[in-house]
Amino acid sequence: MEGKVLTKEELENTASKMGFSLIEIECEKSCNKIEIANQNDFLDFHEHVENLLLFYYYDYEDKMNFMLPVEIPEEYNLKQYPKTIIERISTKIKEYNTMINETDFNTPSGLTMHYIKDGFLFYNYVFEEPNIFSTYDEIINEVLQDFPSKELDEMKKIKQEKIKNNVQELKEIIFADPNFKVATNPIERKIYAKSFFDNNPTYVDLLNEADWIPVLFIHHIWKEFKSKGLHKKRYA
């Protein structure tokens, strides 16, 4: 039926003059569901239709959904910062997890109410957004804000220089290893890499900081080793 579409204000004025109440709804036609988003309107309408049966259930948060693993994912690229900053971030994460662990999660975070009337399901859902949740980004930024940007840049520069020097020292250690000299093909170098880094796991951490996969590092430095003719040099 064609006709004038009343504005919300016009509809409210008309309802007031005629002496009835308005309840704004959202209707899911395919499922015969009608949502009354405002909780007070829902309860008022429930009373208005004289329905004596109201279904409800509460939602509860799981604290494990809020906990953060202390081992920070590599995507946050913290290895560019010195150990002191990484330790401070880890401490903040532990403090946050302690706070989460001590929080009472027995209080419901959501309430759903519904009833059925004339073939329609009327419902209302209210959810309280938790205000205790933190992310890695928030915690990391909180720690980094304690340092001026120039100081952070200098820290990163010093650390990168230290990593570079340590990798150079590692390379010289490997170059001096007779077992490396005889690893003349990819399979032998792969076997060498496994044996060397199994016996020297701290170097694996160093190469991870330098964005190297250990076996690829061995293949890479072999090219330099060979180009310098060191593979022909006799060891004393």
Side-chain angles (χ1 to χ4, degrees):
M1 177 179 177
E2 293 185 2
K4 174 177 170 43
V5 177
L6 299 177
T7 66
K8 186 174 182 179
E9 183 179 359
E10 291 172 335
L11 182 59
E12 289 174 346
N13 289 336
T14 300
S16 178
K17 290 177 182 178
M18 299 179 67
F20 61 86
S21 301
L22 290 175
I23 303 290
E24 187 172 3
I25 67 170
E26 293 184 14
C27 186
E28 300 180 27
K29 296 180 181 179
S30 60
C31 300
N32 289 342
K33 292 182 180 179
I34 298 177
E35 179 184 11
I36 302 177
N38 183 282
Q39 191 177 76
N40 289 332
D41 288 346
F42 176 85
L43 294 173
D44 182 64
F45 183 69
H46 178 73
E47 181 183 22
H48 177 74
V49 297
E50 298 180 350
N51 194 330
L52 300 181
L53 186 62
L54 177 65
F55 300 93
Y56 74 96
Y57 64 88
Y58 286 108
D59 290 321
Y60 296 87
E61 295 291 349
D62 183 347
K63 73 169 57 179
M64 296 309 297
N65 292 334
F66 294 86
M67 302 286 277
L68 293 176
V70 177
E71 187 173 343
I72 305 167
E74 290 186 3
E75 64 192 80
Y76 292 94
N77 195 27
L78 290 185
K79 57 189 177 184
Q80 63 181 310
Y81 297 108
K83 186 177 180 181
T84 52
I85 288 184
I86 297 175
E87 288 177 345
R88 188 177 298 191
I89 292 172
S90 296
T91 298
K92 285 284 187 181
I93 293 173
K94 291 176 183 177
E95 291 173 353
Y96 164 76
N97 284 338
T98 299
M99 183 269 292
I100 291 295
N101 202 42
E102 294 174 351
T103 299
D104 180 14
F105 283 87
N106 292 319
T107 301
S109 60
L111 169 62
T112 299
M113 298 180 289
H114 67 269
Y115 59 87
I116 298 174
K117 179 72 174 177
D118 297 332
F120 287 90
L121 185 146
F122 296 84
Y123 70 97
N124 171 264
Y125 176 67
V126 176
F127 175 76
E128 291 185 14
E129 188 72 31
N131 58 6
I132 59 172
F133 181 66
S134 286
T135 63
Y136 283 121
D137 284 321
E138 292 171 339
I139 293 176
I140 292 170
N141 288 335
E142 180 183 348
V143 172
L144 295 182
Q145 284 175 359
D146 292 337
F147 299 88
S149 58
K150 287 185 178 180
E151 185 177 348
L152 285 174
D153 290 340
E154 185 64 23
M155 286 180 178
K156 288 189 284 187
K157 182 179 178 181
I158 292 173
K159 179 167 185 179
Q160 290 305 312
E161 190 65 30
K162 182 178 179 181
I163 291 173
K164 180 181 177 181
N165 292 336
N166 289 341
V167 170
Q168 179 63 31
E169 290 177 6
L170 171 61
K171 184 172 67 172
E172 292 171 0
I173 290 171
I174 294 174
F175 279 3
D177 186 353
N179 292 324
F180 178 71
K181 179 183 178 182
V182 298
T184 56
N185 63 60
I187 294 178
E188 289 174 339
R189 287 194 289 276
K190 184 176 181 180
I191 294 172
Y192 173 83
K194 185 177 188 314
S195 174
F196 180 85
F197 290 112
D198 281 350
N199 293 322
N200 301 278
T202 55
Y203 289 135
V204 176
D205 296 333
L206 169 62
L207 292 181
N208 284 338
E209 286 189 308
D211 290 326
W212 273 112
I213 296 173
V215 67
L216 296 183
F217 176 75
I218 293 298
H219 289 313
H220 175 76
I221 64 174
W222 172 262
K223 295 177 183 178
E224 180 184 344
F225 186 77
K226 185 176 180 181
S227 69
K228 292 181 176 180
L230 297 177
H231 64 303
K232 299 177 181 180
K233 181 180 177 181
R234 293 188 177 183
Y235 292 92

